[in-house]
Amino acid sequence: MAVPPQRRDDEQTKKEENIRCLPLLDNFGFECFPRQLVHRSIQQGFSFNILCVGETGIGKSTLIDTLFNTNFKEHKSSHFHPSVGLKVQMYDLHESNVHLKLTVVKTVGYGDQINKEASYRPIIDYIDTQFEAYLQEELKIKRSLIKLHDSRVHVCLYFIAPTGHSLKSLDLVTMKMLDSKVNIVPLIAKADTVSKTDLQKFKSKIMSELAGNGIQIYQIPANDEASASVNSLQECLPFAVVGSMDEVRVGKRTARGRQYPWGVLQVDNESHCDFVKLRNMLLCSNMEDLKEDTHIHHYQRYRCHRLTKIGFADVGPDNQPLSFQEIYGAKRQEFSEQCQREEERLKQRFVQRIKEKEAEFKETEKELQDEFQHLKRIQQEKTKKLEEERRQLEEEIIAFYKMKADFEAQQAQQAQPASNLKKDKERKK
């Protein structure tokens, strides 16, 4: 029996009314991807490597302490280092459930030498060494880049002395050598020693000199959402900073800063210095961009230079793309041919050396033979002379014995009459 249409509609409505609406406990779909990345990043932890370049006593350690609100308890460096060195220190920092592995590299004795010609060389060597370590791990068959501690320098905080005039030649030369290897963020250290008017003029002078000398500093990336803040940060370069861990009294509260007879300078007050802007740029908004820029630009430039120097290329002589296997096969064949050529050269050199030695031995043998013949002739002459002397001596001996015999015979003849006379006398008696 067929069910009437009206009854079917009533049953459908009843079923729809009995359906329960369950609330969703969490989001689902690919909008959860960012959460997965955040969770994995928190589990793995973060790493950040800072290079501080500046003269001794300019405030590098104090600024790092202020940035991370931690007293790292470092020993002060002296001004009597014979050459520029680097001090590498690693710290494990925790904030809430976030773990940060911080590496701070500071120059020691920078700008203290009379001859400052190669003051930048230890810094360049250190940066290249970290790039090379990462490259060697990358070229391994069984590599572990996730577990590898990335020691590549992500940012260079270059401390400029607050002279208020212009950059020193050492600053220009060093930053020119560093701009292709690391992200440079120039800082005016101890900015509280310069008035605000002179500070703005000093900033303009520094940026003009950097542009005039073709020095590339870190450019803060801009986007639509934060273009205003980016422009504000870009206009502040170089950052005029002051570091201090001292707590000073400001009205009814305390703040980090410096107490002077004419007032208080607050480190975290943006109207007093650019420390907050520097901290936000380094830690809050651009740390990952600094790391990405280091990997994409500076490290890739070093990697390209090293692989090109070894002999690898992306295209062949006919501008056709080459695979790694083809390049490896060509390099292996080239190396094999080079080894064969070197082997042939060594064989020829070995044969030539043998011939030269044989010629030397023959010449020495001839000289020895001539010397032997000469000595033999001398010996024969001496032997002949000795034989002649022996013959003469024998003749003299024979003559001597003959003379002796004659003398004895003569004496015997003379003694015979005397004996006869004696016998006659005895008879007579």
Side-chain angles (χ1 to χ4, degrees), residues 233-271:
L233 290 175
Q234 199 71 37
E235 292 174 357
C236 287
L237 288 175
F239 293 109
V241 296
V242 179
S244 176
M245 292 295 293
D246 298 334
E247 296 288 339
V248 295
R249 192 76 180 176
V250 181
K252 296 182 179 181
R253 62 183 180 87
T254 58
R256 293 187 303 176
R258 295 182 179 274
Q259 180 75 49
Y260 296 106
W262 53 86
V264 176
L265 182 139
Q266 301 177 42
V267 171
D268 298 307
N269 191 333
E270 294 188 36
S271 63

Side-chain angles (χ1 to χ4, degrees), residues 27-45:
N27 296 331
F28 63 92
F30 55 81
E31 64 176 338
C32 298
F33 290 168
R35 297 187 179 185
Q36 299 178 34
L37 294 177
V38 170
H39 181 68
R40 188 181 66 176
S41 299
I42 291 176
Q43 284 185 334
Q44 293 178 352

Side-chain angles (χ1 to χ4, degrees), residues 74-90:
E74 298 180 12
H75 298 289
K76 294 184 179 180
S77 300
S78 67
H79 292 267
F80 302 101
H81 290 275
S83 60
V84 178
L86 294 175
K87 181 168 61 175
V88 183
Q89 294 177 313
M90 301 176 65

Side-chain angles (χ1 to χ4, degrees), residues 147-372:
K147 296 181 180 179
L148 174 69
H149 171 59
D150 186 4
S151 60
R152 296 173 296 177
V153 178
H154 300 136
V155 63
C156 170
L157 301 180
Y158 195 93
F159 290 74
I160 301 171
T163 59
H165 300 288
S166 62
L167 291 172
K168 300 178 182 178
S169 300
L170 177 62
D171 299 330
L172 293 173
V173 172
T174 303
M175 282 193 279
K176 183 62 178 177
M177 298 302 297
L178 289 176
D179 65 351
S180 62
K181 295 181 176 294
V182 68
N183 299 311
I184 299 177
V185 177
L187 308 177
I188 300 176
K190 299 182 178 180
D192 53 340
T193 61
V194 185
S195 65
K196 286 189 175 182
T197 304
D198 293 339
L199 190 60
Q200 291 301 323
K201 294 180 181 178
F202 191 33
K203 284 187 176 185
S204 301
K205 181 68 173 178
I206 290 174
M207 296 302 293
S208 175
E209 289 184 349
L210 293 177
N213 289 274
I215 298 173
Q216 299 294 327
I217 62 175
Y218 175 67
Q219 298 295 321
I220 301 174
N223 52 55
D224 296 336
E225 297 179 358
S227 58
S229 61
V230 168
N231 293 333
S232 176
L233 290 175
Q234 199 71 37
E235 292 174 357
C236 287
L237 288 175
F239 293 109
V241 296
V242 179
S244 176
M245 292 295 293
D246 298 334
E247 296 288 339
V248 295
R249 192 76 180 176
V250 181
K252 296 182 179 181
R253 62 183 180 87
T254 58
R256 293 187 303 176
R258 295 182 179 274
Q259 180 75 49
Y260 296 106
W262 53 86
V264 176
L265 182 139
Q266 301 177 42
V267 171
D268 298 307
N269 191 333
E270 294 188 36
S271 63
H272 291 183
C273 66
D274 299 330
F275 172 78
V276 174
K277 295 178 180 179
L278 173 66
R279 183 183 59 192
N280 292 340
M281 190 272 291
L282 288 179
L283 305 180
C284 300
S285 60
N286 294 94
M287 187 179 80
E288 287 301 321
D289 183 74
L290 287 167
K291 297 170 68 173
E292 183 180 355
D293 193 66
T294 299
H295 180 77
I296 294 177
H297 295 100
H298 302 296
Y299 170 70
Q300 292 300 330
R301 186 182 293 111
Y302 175 84
R303 179 177 176 273
C304 179
H305 172 72
R306 286 283 288 118
L307 294 181
T308 304
K309 188 176 180 180
I310 295 173
F312 289 90
D314 294 331
V315 296
D318 53 353
N319 290 329
Q320 294 297 323
L322 295 176
S323 65
F324 182 82
Q325 185 176 1
E326 292 174 342
I327 298 174
Y328 175 75
K331 293 297 294 181
R332 184 175 183 180
Q333 181 66 24
E334 180 183 354
F335 181 73
S336 177
E337 293 176 356
Q338 182 180 357
C339 289
Q340 291 179 0
R341 291 194 300 268
E342 186 68 17
E343 184 179 0
E344 290 295 329
R345 188 182 68 82
L346 291 176
K347 284 182 179 179
Q348 293 177 2
R349 185 178 179 185
F350 180 71
V351 172
Q352 183 66 24
R353 290 293 300 273
I354 290 177
K355 290 181 179 179
E356 292 176 358
K357 287 295 181 181
E358 287 180 350
E360 291 179 2
F361 290 153
K362 288 181 179 180
E363 185 68 23
T364 304
E365 183 180 6
K366 185 176 179 301
E367 292 177 357
L368 292 176
Q369 188 68 24
D370 294 341
E371 184 70 18
F372 174 74

